Amino acid sequence: MIPDIYITETSAAQQIRIPWIPDEIHFTSNGTRFASYDILDRGEVKIPAGANIHGYSWEGILPGLDHFPSGAPFLRSVVDPLWVQQVWSGWREYGTPLRLLVTGTPINHEVYLEDYDVKYAGAFGDYKYSISFVDARNITIGVTAPPSAASEGAPAPTRPETQSSATSYTVQEGDTLWMVAQRFLGKSSRWPEIYKQNQAIIEQAAISYGKKSSSHGNWLFPGTKLQIPR
C-alpha cells in the first residue's frame, strides 16, 4: 500500500497532504542524552537523562499546477506549491505545533517544522524541496509566585495586551491570511474572518495581478490594505 503523508496543525486549522510521496523518509533518534559528573577520584560518570529530540526529514517535489493534465489519475492531489511554501513559512516562523502522520509507518507524532529549503525547477512551476521536523515536547516549569501586591495594599499590575490594537495592515511580500490572523488575532484559524471582511479588495488585487480569483484568499499580494476584524 502506498503511504500517505499528512501534516496537520494540532488546532486542526490547516492540513497539508503531500502530493508526491518521497522515496525515503529519514528518522533520526539522536540516541540517549547523558548527564556527566566528575566524582573526585572515581573519574567521569555518565547517568542517563532521557532521550534526545527525534528528527524526521525527506526530500521531494511539489509539482506545479501545469505539470500534469487536469484529472491525471497518477497525481495524488493538486496543491498549489506556492501556497504550500507560504504555509510552511508561517509554521516555521510562529513555531506552530503540528502532527506528522505517515500512514503504514510508526510515524505519528507531534512535531515542529525545523527548517525547509525550496528550489524552483522546470517550466511547469515545480518546487524541489527538503524539509525537516523535530519532536514537540511538552515542558512544565514550576514557578513560585511572588507575594501578592494586593495583599500589601499596592495596586495589582495590569496585564499587557497580547494582541495588536491595529485596525488595518498592509500586506508584505510572503504574507498569508494564515500569518496575518496569527499575528493580529492570536489564532491562525481565524483567517476566514479577515478574508470575509476584505473579500472585495483581496479579489480585486488578485485580478489586477492576472489571476482569475484569489482562490478564497490563498493568493495574497503585497500592498493590499486589510481591515483587521475585532
Side-chain angles (χ1 to χ4, degrees):
M1 181 180 69
I2 299 176
D4 268 315
I5 300 178
Y6 294 95
I7 311 168
T8 310
E9 295 177 15
T10 54
S11 65
Q14 194 81 261
Q15 182 184 79
I16 291 178
R17 180 190 184 196
I18 298 300
W20 202 323
I21 298 301
D23 292 332
E24 298 178 327
I25 299 175
H26 300 280
F27 168 72
T28 306
S29 68
N30 291 318
T32 301
R33 185 174 67 254
F34 288 86
S36 297
Y37 302 90
D38 193 4
I39 305 177
L40 299 178
D41 60 345
R42 293 182 178 270
E44 186 181 41
V45 176
K46 289 183 178 290
I47 299 175
N52 283 318
I53 297 294
H54 297 158
Y56 315 87
S57 62
W58 67 83
E59 296 180 354
I61 296 176
L62 295 173
L65 297 181
D66 297 329
H67 195 111
F68 297 106
S70 177
F74 43 83
L75 183 60
R76 303 171 64 81
S77 59
V78 178
V79 181
D80 186 340
L82 174 61
W83 173 78
V84 173
Q85 183 188 356
Q86 290 174 340
V87 174
W88 286 352
S89 177
W91 284 349
R92 183 179 61 182
E93 180 176 352
Y94 293 106
T96 304
L98 307 166
R99 177 163 291 278
L100 174 63
L101 170 64
V102 183
T103 61
T105 79
I107 300 175
N108 184 6
H109 299 284
E110 292 188 359
V111 298
Y112 295 115
L113 197 163
E114 180 182 32
D115 203 3
Y116 74 92
D117 180 71
V118 169
K119 296 179 181 178
Y120 310 102
F124 298 104
D126 295 349
Y127 286 24
K128 292 183 178 180
Y129 72 94
S130 60
I131 193 167
S132 60
F133 299 85
V134 294
D135 276 339
R137 298 279 179 87
N138 292 324
I139 301 176
T140 302
I141 302 176
V143 178
T144 302
S148 172
S151 63
E152 300 178 3
T158 302
R159 181 178 178 179
E161 292 293 330
T162 58
Q163 298 179 6
S164 171
S165 60
T167 58
S168 64
Y169 174 70
T170 301
V171 174
Q172 306 299 311
E173 185 72 35
D175 279 344
T176 65
L177 288 181
W178 183 94
M179 296 168 63
V180 175
Q182 179 71 37
R183 176 177 178 181
F184 292 101
L185 302 181
K187 288 185 178 180
S188 59
S189 59
R190 295 183 63 185
W191 70 265
E193 298 176 35
I194 301 178
Y195 175 72
K196 183 177 180 181
Q197 185 159 331
N198 298 274
Q199 181 174 354
I201 193 170
I202 291 173
E203 296 301 330
Q204 182 180 356
I207 292 172
S208 70
Y209 274 83
K211 300 293 181 182
K212 293 182 179 179
S213 73
S214 74
S215 188
H216 202 67
N218 283 335
W219 291 102
L220 198 61
F221 295 94
T224 307
K225 188 172 183 179
L226 304 176
Q227 298 301 312
I228 307 300
R230 306 296 348 141

